[in-house]
Amino acid sequence: MSDDDFMYEDEEEYEFEYEEDDGEGGEEVGVENRYYNAKGLREDFDAAIREFQTVVDDSPSLTEWGFKATKQMLKLCLREGQFDQVLSYYEKMLDYVRQSIVARNYAEKSINNMLERVSVAATPEFVQRFHQITLAVLKETKNDRLWLRTSLRLAKLLLDQQEYPALDTLLGELRRECEDDSGAVILERGTQLLEIHAMYLAMYAAREEHKRLKDTYLQCMTIKSAIPHPRIMGFIRECGGKMYMGECNWEQAKANFFDAFKNYDEAGSPQRVQVLKYLVLASLLSESEVNPLSGPEAMSYVNDPAIVAITALVAAFESQDVVRFEHTLSQNTEHIQDDPFIARYIADLRRTLRMQALESAVLPYTRIRIDSLAKRLDIAPADAEQLLVALILDKRLKANIDQEQGILAVEQDTAEHQQFEALNKWATNMESLLRSAIATIG
C-alpha cells in the first residue's frame, strides 16, 4: 500500500533537507529516523503510539518533528474511534500553532486536513466541538483568513443539522467581519460575504421565510466586488429562480434558472441537471416559444434519463396533446413528480396546457358545445367552462358563454377575418376615390 493510499498520510514527510551538521544534526537525524520508524508501525496502534510519543519526548528542541508526531497520533486515534484522545492530541497540535513553531502555511494545511478527516469520521456533535476548538485558537492567533473559512465550514455543519438559532448567530458574526464600522462591505471580503448570504438563503428556504429570502437574494445581487465559486453563484441563482416561481414571475424565474444552470455546469455540479429541469418548467409556464433544451448549453444532457423524461413532457406540451401529457407524467414519476419543487407546479402546468389547447380548439368555430370541448381535453365540462372563463377574462378569447345551453359563442377575429375587413375597407376607399375622380372630370 502506497503512502497516497493510506487514509492518514500527508505529503510533508517527503520534504527532506540535507545539510552538514556539527553534532546537533546527529540528534535531528535520530529523531527523524524514529519518526519514520513509527510510521512503519501504524498497523500496530499501541506500538506506533509509543514510538511517536518517544519522538515528542525526545525532541524538545526539534519541535517540528514533535508537531508531525502529534499529528500522526491524532490520525491514528481518529482511525480507531478514540475521540477523547483525538481532542487531547489535537489541542497539543494546536499548541505548536499558538507558538508559531511551524510555518503558517503548513499549519493552515494541517488544520484543514484534520477538519476534513474529522468531518467524515466522527459524529456531527463531535465535529462541531472540533470546529469550535479550532476557531478559538485561530481567533487567538489572529489568523482571520482561516478563521473565516473554518467558520463557514461550521456554518454548513449547523445548516445540515438544522440548528438554525446557532447558525443565525454565527452568520451574524461572520457578516460583521465582512463590514467596516459604517456597515459598508469591505471590498476584499465581498466573496466571503456572498458565501455567507448563500448560507442565509439556504436557512430561509428551509424555514420558508420568503420575505427574508427575497431581501437576502436582492442583497446578493448588489455585491459587485465578489468573485464567487460558480457553485455558490449557482445556488444563489437557483434560490432566486425558486423565489420568482413562488411569485408566478415565470420570466424572471427562467432567467435565474438559466444562470444557475450555467454556473453549476461550470462547477461540474450534478445539480445542473436538476436546475435544467426547473428551467424547462419555468419556460413552459411562461409559454415561451424557445425550447431551452435546444440551446448548446443543454445539448450534452439530452440523453440523461431525467432530461429524456422532461423532453417527452415538452413534446406533449408543444403539440398541445393533453392525453400524451398526462401519460408522460404518469410514466416518469421518478424524474418529474417525485421532485417536490416540480410537483408543486404540475397543476399550473396542466392548466396552462389546457388553456392553450382550448384556445386552439375553438379557432375554427363561431359556436361550439362546451361538453364537446371538454371531451377533446378529457376533462369535466365544468372544468372546461372555468378555463374558458379565464381565457375570456385574460382577453385571449373573444367569446360569450351561454350557460343555459352549454354553448360557447365565439366572435370571429381571425387573421383571415382581419384581412377580409382590410380588403373591404380598401375597396370602399377605392370606390370613393373613383367617384370623386368621375365627378371632377364630368
Side-chain angles (χ1 to χ4, degrees), residues 70-174:
T70 302
K71 187 167 66 170
Q72 292 296 332
M73 288 189 283
L74 190 164
K75 294 175 182 178
L76 287 168
C77 289
L78 184 61
R79 185 187 69 185
E80 299 297 318
Q82 298 184 10
F83 296 120
D84 288 341
Q85 288 298 311
V86 168
L87 285 178
S88 175
Y89 285 123
Y90 188 55
E91 288 175 344
K92 291 176 182 177
M93 177 183 137
L94 291 176
D95 284 338
Y96 290 92
V97 178
R98 283 191 183 94
Q99 300 172 43
S100 301
I101 300 301
V102 293
R104 187 183 182 94
N105 287 341
Y106 178 40
E108 288 187 9
K109 182 179 178 181
S110 298
I111 289 172
N112 275 325
N113 180 276
M114 293 316 307
L115 289 170
E116 289 175 3
R117 293 176 188 276
V118 167
S119 294
V120 298
T123 64
E125 293 75 19
F126 182 85
V127 175
Q128 186 174 334
R129 186 179 174 191
F130 201 87
H131 278 74
Q132 288 166 342
I133 290 172
T134 306
L135 289 171
V137 173
L138 295 175
K139 198 76 169 178
E140 181 183 336
T141 57
K142 302 186 185 305
N143 191 331
D144 295 338
R145 182 182 64 177
L146 188 55
W147 178 88
L148 190 60
R149 193 160 48 202
T150 304
S151 295
L152 287 168
R153 282 176 179 265
L154 178 57
K156 180 64 169 64
L157 177 66
L158 293 172
L159 179 65
D160 292 341
Q161 294 177 314
Q162 299 182 1
E163 295 187 20
Y164 299 129
L167 175 61
D168 203 4
T169 301
L170 177 58
L171 291 178
E173 184 179 357
L174 286 169

Side-chain angles (χ1 to χ4, degrees), residues 210-221:
H210 303 298
K211 186 178 184 308
R212 287 186 172 184
L213 188 146
K214 184 169 185 177
D215 290 343
T216 303
Y217 168 79
L218 294 175
Q219 288 178 37
C220 290
M221 296 299 99

Side-chain angles (χ1 to χ4, degrees), residues 17 20 42 61 196 277 295 326 341 347:
E17 292 184 4
E20 294 186 7
R42 287 173 302 191
S61 61
I196 294 164
K277 293 197 298 184
E326 296 294 344
F341 180 74

Side-chain angles (χ1 to χ4, degrees), residues 244-264:
Y244 283 120
M245 287 286 282
E247 297 176 354
C248 297
N249 189 338
W250 315 127
E251 289 295 337
Q252 283 293 333
K254 186 172 64 172
N256 274 270
F257 284 140
F258 181 66
D259 281 341
F261 169 71
K262 288 195 300 182
N263 277 284
Y264 280 138

